[in-house]
Amino acid sequence: MIRRLALLGGVLLALAAVALFALSTKPAASRATLAAGQAAAVTSVTRSCPPSAPGGSAANISMIAVPAQASSAATATAKAAGGVAAGSATVSQVPAAPAGTAAPATTKSAKGKATPGSSTPAKGASTAGPAASAPVTVAVPGAATTVAAPGGGAGAGTSVSATGRMAEGFEAEQADSSGMGLVSCSHPGSDMWFVGSGEPDVWLYLTNSGTAEASVDLTILTDTGQQSGLANAITVAPDQVVAENVSPYVHGAQAVALHVQTSSGQIAASVWEGASAGSGAWVPQAAAPSTTVVIPGLTVASSSARLFVTVPGAADAKLKVVAYTPAGADIQFDSGTNPVQASAAATTPVTLSSLGASAAGLELTSNVPIVAGVLVPGAGIGSFTAGAAPVTDQGVVAGNPAARGLTVGLLLTAPAGAATASVSVIDSDGTVTSPATLQNVTVGAGRTLAVAVPRPSGRQSFAIVLTPSSHSGPLYATRVVTSGSGGLSAEVTSLLPVQSALTEITLPPVQNSYTAVLP
């Protein structure tokens, strides 16, 4: 009995000692639960850019860091204490995978269709892979910069890693020779959607700028349902880009969606569609499946635009389609009483002939989650826009052309409450121009507004910064470039959904836990 009491006393003493040790060693800053919503400055960003488009010239990379003018107390304290360095952005080549080294093992194919076999070099690229090029370093926060992509047009992709102040409000895009951003360089991820029209040429670019191998599964949904041509996963080695020719699997399709998922590792994905080499457009990444999807960026030339609706699930979708125009909400196709039907496990094309000649944004409301995109008529095959997220903090487009004969503008949609925002222009030496007419841009609730953005003096490309006010309703935006006379009513050359470029991130609340010490 005495021995049992002694053993129990020893255990209690040991537990008391552990508890006292834990209390005495926990950091002072963590003795209370951290407040929800605490902010920290963004100090590191990685983006990956695809190779040049098939038949296109060597790519450029347009980028800018737009640090916050007014930081939160937590971030300001960190900066004052030297916690946020000036930093830099390093632009590095990501080589094309040598032919046959990263086989997707496509053992099955649709009847009568060619099978691409192993990982495919970008169209027109050398099968030996490009020679390594020296990285380029940019360390000028607050200035629009365009550099040649390392590796040129030899099928190589590009990785952009920004740190310190160069990571705050950072945006990067693949651009043409005029500095016009064509497609946003994307964050590495594990689940991405792209919705397009099923042009004769469809290319998927998978860029792995990390240090771990990535295994990628691709699901293809066309207007005839899921395609089974690409059977097995695509392996993307670290520091490589794989170009996969999707065309054989979607031949004759009127609409196509690509669902890119990784079972291991992360990749950045980009999709290009074209009618022939050099005549095509990049397909922006679409918002994840949802029962409500907002698509900004339909121009006044959108009377014959095509809407593509993908239903990932097993149940058909019934859609209400509302166009928000400068005059207000316009229900399309009488879909309020007679919903548009979209087939399950497929991508359905819908012609927007009833839209008329008006700038607009679309809101799709569905009984099941959907993904959606739009092809707007214009130069070549036209330009794509897609379901997007509203702009938060600030929206940035890094590459905008200053050449004569081109008009640059923003298409702004406020589907809920009225939205107010300011627009600034930043040139290559960091000069900020804030036209008086763009300082308090108001978009009425349930409306779309098209605003032209004046180019700065000189012929260098420039950046656009869109900053919603704190009391603004949700604001969706697309950058548009048109060519010829007629301003924003002229032929569309490029559409680019506006990305949110964050300067701070909100940290989740943190609470003390000693489960590792006391299980």
Side-chain angles (χ1 to χ4, degrees):
M1 182 68 179
I2 295 175
R3 183 177 299 177
R4 291 181 180 178
L5 291 174
L7 179 60
L8 178 60
V11 170
L12 292 174
L13 286 173
L15 290 175
V18 171
L20 288 172
F21 175 78
L23 289 172
S24 64
T25 57
K26 68 179 178 180
S30 65
R31 290 187 180 179
T33 300
L34 295 179
Q38 184 173 347
V42 174
T43 57
S44 179
V45 171
T46 299
R47 296 288 194 90
S48 295
C49 317
S52 302
S57 58
N60 294 288
I61 307 298
S62 291
M63 72 190 84
I64 189 171
V66 189
Q69 298 300 311
S71 303
S72 70
T75 306
T77 301
K79 292 174 182 176
V84 180
S88 63
T90 302
V91 185
S92 306
Q93 173 185 319
V94 181
T101 61
T106 51
T107 56
K108 297 187 291 183
S109 64
K111 186 175 180 181
K113 296 180 182 179
T115 303
S118 64
S119 76
T120 312
K123 194 172 183 181
S126 167
T127 57
S133 298
V136 177
T137 299
V138 176
V140 190
T145 304
T146 297
V147 300
T158 305
S159 173
V160 186
S161 298
T163 60
R165 294 282 281 172
M166 278 299 295
E168 290 188 27
F170 185 79
E171 167 65 8
E173 297 139 15
Q174 192 213 86
D176 64 10
S177 57
S178 71
M180 177 171 64
L182 303 175
V183 59
S184 292
C185 300
S186 56
H187 297 281
S190 58
D191 196 314
M192 290 146 277
W193 283 92
F194 301 87
V195 183
S197 59
E199 298 294 329
D201 275 351
V202 181
W203 286 84
L204 169 66
Y205 298 93
L206 303 171
T207 304
N208 183 357
S209 56
T211 58
E213 183 178 271
S215 181
V216 183
D217 296 312
L218 176 63
T219 302
I220 304 172
L221 301 176
T222 72
D223 51 308
T224 59
Q226 182 170 337
Q227 304 303 302
S228 58
L230 196 60
N232 294 349
I234 303 169
T235 298
V236 187
D239 195 35
Q240 283 193 346
V241 56
V242 169
E244 182 69 35
N245 183 6
V246 184
S247 309
Y249 308 119
V250 298
H251 180 71
Q254 301 301 307
V256 60
L258 303 182
H259 187 197
V260 181
Q261 296 172 290
T262 64
S263 57
S264 63
Q266 289 191 321
I267 53 93
S270 300
V271 174
W272 183 89
E273 286 197 21
S276 59
S279 177
W282 292 98
V283 181
Q285 184 174 330
S290 175
T291 54
T292 301
V293 175
V294 177
I295 307 174
L298 281 73
T299 73
V300 295
S302 299
S303 57
S304 57
R306 285 186 289 162
L307 168 66
F308 309 104
V309 180
T310 300
V311 183
D316 291 349
K318 297 179 180 180
L319 308 171
K320 178 182 178 181
V321 182
V322 178
Y324 295 113
T325 72
D330 181 11
I331 297 177
Q332 300 292 290
F333 322 113
D334 294 324
S335 59
T337 56
N338 184 24
V340 176
Q341 304 288 325
S343 299
T347 301
T348 301
V350 181
T351 299
L352 295 171
S353 57
S354 62
L355 185 61
S358 177
L362 298 181
E363 183 177 62
L364 282 59
T365 306
S366 171
N367 60 313
V368 297
I370 58 171
V371 184
V374 170
L375 176 61
V376 177
I381 68 168
S383 296
F384 291 96
T385 182
V391 174
T392 57
D393 195 358
Q394 58 184 2
V396 177
V397 179
N400 301 280
R404 296 189 182 279
L406 298 177
T407 300
V408 178
L410 294 171
L411 302 175
L412 308 174
T413 297
T420 304
S422 62
V423 180
S424 299
V425 170
I426 305 177
D427 63 19
S428 57
D429 65 5
T431 300
V432 180
T433 305
S434 301
T437 56
L438 299 180
Q439 281 311 288
N440 287 291
V441 177
T442 299
V443 186
R447 297 176 185 269
T448 290
L449 179 67
V451 294
V453 178
R455 61 177 180 266
S457 59
R459 296 299 177 87
Q460 299 295 317
S461 61
F462 60 95
I464 296 174
V465 181
L466 172 68
T467 307
S469 63
S470 58
H471 59 276
S472 175
L475 181 63
Y476 298 76
T478 295
R479 190 285 317 272
V480 58
V481 179
T482 63
S483 59
S485 59
L488 294 181
S489 299
E491 182 180 59
V492 175
T493 298
S494 173
L495 292 175
L496 189 65
V498 177
Q499 302 275 355
S500 294
L502 302 181
T503 60
E504 296 179 346
I505 56 174
T506 301
L507 301 176
V510 178
Q511 191 168 6
N512 293 329
S513 175
Y514 292 101
T515 56
V517 177
L518 297 174

